[in-house]
Amino acid sequence: MPDPHRTPTVEQSDEPPSSSSQESPTSGDSGRDLGSPGRDPGDPTNNSNLSQNMKDHSVSGASHLLGHHSPTKPGVDMRLPEAISHSDERHQRHPHETPHEHGTPRDAMVKYGELIVLGYNGVLPQGDKGRRRSKFILYRRKLANGVKPSRQHVVNKPHNAKAVTDSKQHSVSYTLNRSQSVVVEYTSDEDTDMFQIGRSSEAPIDCVVMDTAPGDKILDSIITQSTISRFACRIACDRDVPYRSRVFAAGFDPTRNIFLGEKATKWRDEGIEIDGLTTNGILIMHPKGKFFGGKADPGIWREVSVCGSVYALRESRSAPQKGALVEEESNTLQDGTLIDLCGATLLWRSAASLGHSPTKRYLEHQVEELNAGRPQCPVGLNTLVIPKKNTLTESEKQPYVYLTCGHVQGEHAWGREDETRRRCPICQQIGPVVKLQMGIEPAFYVDTNFPTHAFNPCGHMASEQSVRYWASIPLPYGCHGFRAACPFCATPLVGDPGWQKLIFQDHVD
């Protein structure tokens, strides 16, 4: 039996799965533990009863693997960008074992979608490791571990209640006062998979997310006081078509409990159903229109409750009074939904839409085409080279962009006005200059067009529609503020519109 506190082995692979999201006819047993036949479903040692056995064999990660898609543009490798995902510990295979040896062929995997942390250009500063990474790919688990509410009752001593102390029972405790609480018991749901998100590195958390600091993040920033909850939220994915995914505030701790204290915002609808909000809240925003295709507009930020209801925002993140119920909106994730944890924001991309989105290799090919035009610096007359990797160089070939006018040039001393501003030798406009770098995280793109624009002031390149979309999104900042930011580095945008069209001096031969 594996150690539930062991960090799972991380794996990478380049084998392509089927482009279809449906299971193959041979995968009918993918929801069973093939290594434990004939066990009683009620036996706590039975691996098929995940939700009743989480404490002893905690789920350490989404059961998912790297996949590839078929090319959609001639001559361009449109495979999915490399993203590491980790499987359940109880089904962790040896790093050199093939998917077929593991029992589930790669083309039988069902992908729900991806969660991408805003502010990272494809990878964390120190690299993606274990359950902490810039991108999480959610696949259908080998065995269901979802839970659903079954019954609730009032208790005088919640910490001594049977549902709370039972190591096999999921529960949510709502403290009404010092002497009374409402405990909601949860039971196994064989139709859903549960993935938990939070700051904690304990076993129940599948996606470890830390506070995002704006900037280049050459070195991982040290956050002295985090505002992200240790067990921030959970996502429930339906195991059957159409594979609906829903987000709920709060996650279960290692004892399979969620505790909402006396000061937490909570209420009872019509005196029967009870619900509540977490301290700093979990906010969601659904785009208006389709995210991919360049036709979407920003939606309205809402707050999701522990039971998954959607409410208008409170006056501040931790205000005691909940907002009004928004009945026409739901907690069901759609392509482009943003989930804010109060310290970090996640983007949800659906598996269906990602099949049409650009890949990392596709974006690198676009950079190669730009470099093939041999853009030149008008002062040094040297050829500039846009780096494909997520790095900044001091090379004389490193391009810089004048953010006031958009002209791209090399590093030179001409026209220096002060420490931060220079005069453009082409149009004579004065403004800041920044190194030009490619936005290489494909999930942030809303189309497949060429990178012709850059965010101001960080200099990350992307397609025009992608830049326009993110510049229009007010991202939560602090306890009650919102501001637009670059999705590749989380740097707040400056000026209006917050981006600049790039002007290259290329094809001069």
Side-chain angles (χ1 to χ4, degrees):
M1 182 178 297
D3 184 357
H5 301 290
R6 176 178 60 84
T7 301
T9 304
V10 179
E11 60 179 355
Q12 285 183 312
S13 174
D14 292 323
E15 294 188 22
S18 169
S19 59
S20 172
S21 62
Q22 303 296 322
E23 284 189 299
S24 69
T26 62
S27 62
D29 291 333
S30 62
R32 305 176 185 173
D33 184 359
L34 302 180
S36 303
R39 288 189 180 179
D40 182 357
D43 184 353
T45 63
N46 185 356
N47 286 340
S48 65
N49 196 357
L50 282 185
S51 61
Q52 294 297 317
N53 200 25
M54 181 180 289
K55 176 168 292 185
D56 298 324
H57 308 293
S58 300
V59 177
S60 63
S63 176
H64 46 290
L65 302 167
L66 169 66
H68 298 300
H69 281 261
S70 302
T72 58
K73 183 174 180 180
V76 181
D77 184 359
M78 292 294 290
R79 296 182 297 174
L80 283 175
E82 290 192 356
I84 307 173
S85 306
H86 37 277
S87 304
D88 292 345
E89 285 183 358
R90 62 184 59 76
H91 305 301
Q92 191 70 40
R93 71 169 186 259
H94 190 276
H96 301 294
E97 183 183 353
T98 67
H100 297 278
E101 292 170 343
H102 185 47
T104 303
R106 189 66 57 88
D107 58 3
M109 302 295 289
V110 173
K111 180 178 178 178
Y112 296 129
E114 296 182 4
L115 284 169
I116 305 94
V117 185
L118 265 61
Y120 299 100
N121 196 11
V123 67
L124 294 180
Q126 304 302 319
D128 290 347
K129 301 176 182 178
R131 288 172 290 150
R132 190 188 174 195
R133 49 207 328 104
S134 64
K135 176 187 298 184
F136 304 91
I137 307 178
L138 275 56
Y139 278 93
R140 185 167 67 178
R141 296 188 185 278
K142 194 175 184 67
L143 302 170
N145 73 330
V147 294
K148 57 185 176 182
S150 59
R151 66 189 186 97
Q152 67 179 39
H153 47 90
V154 179
V155 297
N156 294 327
K157 297 181 179 180
H159 290 280
N160 296 329
K162 180 180 179 181
V164 176
T165 58
D166 189 352
S167 62
K168 305 171 187 177
Q169 176 75 57
H170 287 81
S171 68
V172 180
S173 300
Y174 300 85
T175 303
L176 303 180
N177 50 58
R178 293 184 178 180
S179 60
Q180 194 175 62
S181 296
V182 175
V183 176
V184 180
E185 297 181 12
Y186 280 66
T187 187
S188 299
D189 184 1
E190 299 300 327
D191 296 325
T192 63
D193 288 334
M194 181 173 65
F195 303 90
Q196 299 208 133
I197 306 167
R199 174 171 50 88
S200 173
S201 59
E202 296 186 73
I205 295 299
D206 300 286
C207 311
V208 179
V209 179
M210 307 299 290
D211 297 69
T212 302
D216 294 329
K217 307 179 187 68
I218 301 302
L219 294 177
D220 205 359
S221 301
I222 299 177
I223 305 297
T224 56
Q225 186 173 1
S226 175
T227 52
I228 300 177
S229 172
R230 295 173 63 242
F231 307 95
C233 65
R234 63 196 191 276
I235 293 178
C237 301
D238 291 349
R239 291 172 61 84
D240 295 321
V241 289
Y243 306 116
R244 177 184 58 162
S245 299
R246 294 163 294 156
V247 61
F248 301 82
F252 294 97
D253 64 17
T255 65
R256 301 185 181 184
N257 296 311
I258 295 175
F259 291 99
L260 270 70
E262 186 176 352
K263 295 183 179 180
T265 303
K266 65 187 79 67
W267 60 92
R268 301 186 72 169
D269 294 332
E270 300 179 358
I272 303 176
E273 299 295 333
I274 191 167
D275 200 354
L277 305 174
T278 55
T279 302
N280 289 328
I282 299 298
L283 309 187
I284 61 173
M285 190 204 77
H286 302 306
K288 294 181 178 179
K290 291 185 177 181
F291 174 82
F292 185 78
K295 303 295 183 181
D297 292 319
I300 301 175
W301 282 99
R302 307 294 190 188
E303 183 167 5
V304 64
S305 70
V306 174
C307 294
S309 297
V310 177
Y311 294 86
L313 299 185
R314 291 177 274 181
E315 292 184 1
S316 64
R317 291 297 288 254
S318 57
Q321 184 64 37
K322 68 180 175 67
L325 177 66
V326 183
E327 297 183 356
E328 61 272 17
E329 296 189 24
S330 74
N331 64 334
T332 300
L333 302 177
Q334 64 187 65
D335 189 47
T337 293
L338 293 172
I339 305 172
D340 186 77
L341 311 180
C342 192
T345 305
L346 308 177
L347 170 68
W348 171 261
R349 294 301 311 275
S350 67
S353 180
L354 284 170
H356 304 286
S357 299
T359 65
K360 183 179 180 180
R361 182 66 192 96
Y362 181 86
L363 297 178
E364 291 175 345
H365 178 81
Q366 289 183 329
V367 175
E368 292 170 359
E369 290 196 25
L370 287 173
N371 289 332
R374 299 177 61 82
Q376 286 191 355
C377 173
V379 176
L381 299 180
N382 57 300
T383 300
L384 306 176
V385 178
I386 302 171
K388 290 188 294 184
K389 295 183 178 181
N390 188 24
T391 57
L392 292 175
T393 67
E394 299 297 333
S395 169
E396 63 177 7
K397 296 182 178 181
Q398 168 69 48
Y400 289 74
V401 57
Y402 286 70
L403 293 173
T404 302
C405 59
H407 285 107
V408 178
Q409 304 174 32
E411 170 64 14
H412 55 74
W414 193 93
R416 188 184 297 273
E417 297 288 328
D418 51 39
E419 292 296 327
T420 60
R421 301 186 307 150
R422 296 186 184 183
R423 182 184 300 273
C424 176
I426 297 178
C427 65
Q428 302 297 306
Q429 294 190 60
I430 299 175
V433 179
V434 67
K435 289 182 179 181
L436 195 63
Q437 50 187 324
M438 183 67 178
I440 208 67
E441 172 51 62
F444 297 147
Y445 282 74
V446 302
D447 59 15
T448 58
N449 292 334
F450 254 73
T452 57
H453 291 62
F455 288 103
N456 182 0
C458 61
H460 277 107
M461 300 170 55
S463 65
E464 178 180 1
Q465 291 301 323
S466 299
V467 169
R468 287 179 177 272
Y469 178 77
W470 287 106
S472 68
I473 299 295
L475 297 174
Y477 171 69
C479 293
H480 44 72
F482 293 86
R483 65 185 184 187
C486 170
F488 302 104
C489 65
T491 299
L493 301 186
V494 173
D496 186 12
W499 47 265
Q500 182 60 259
K501 182 178 180 179
L502 300 174
I503 305 175
F504 290 92
Q505 185 176 351
D506 53 4
H507 296 283
V508 293
D509 295 340

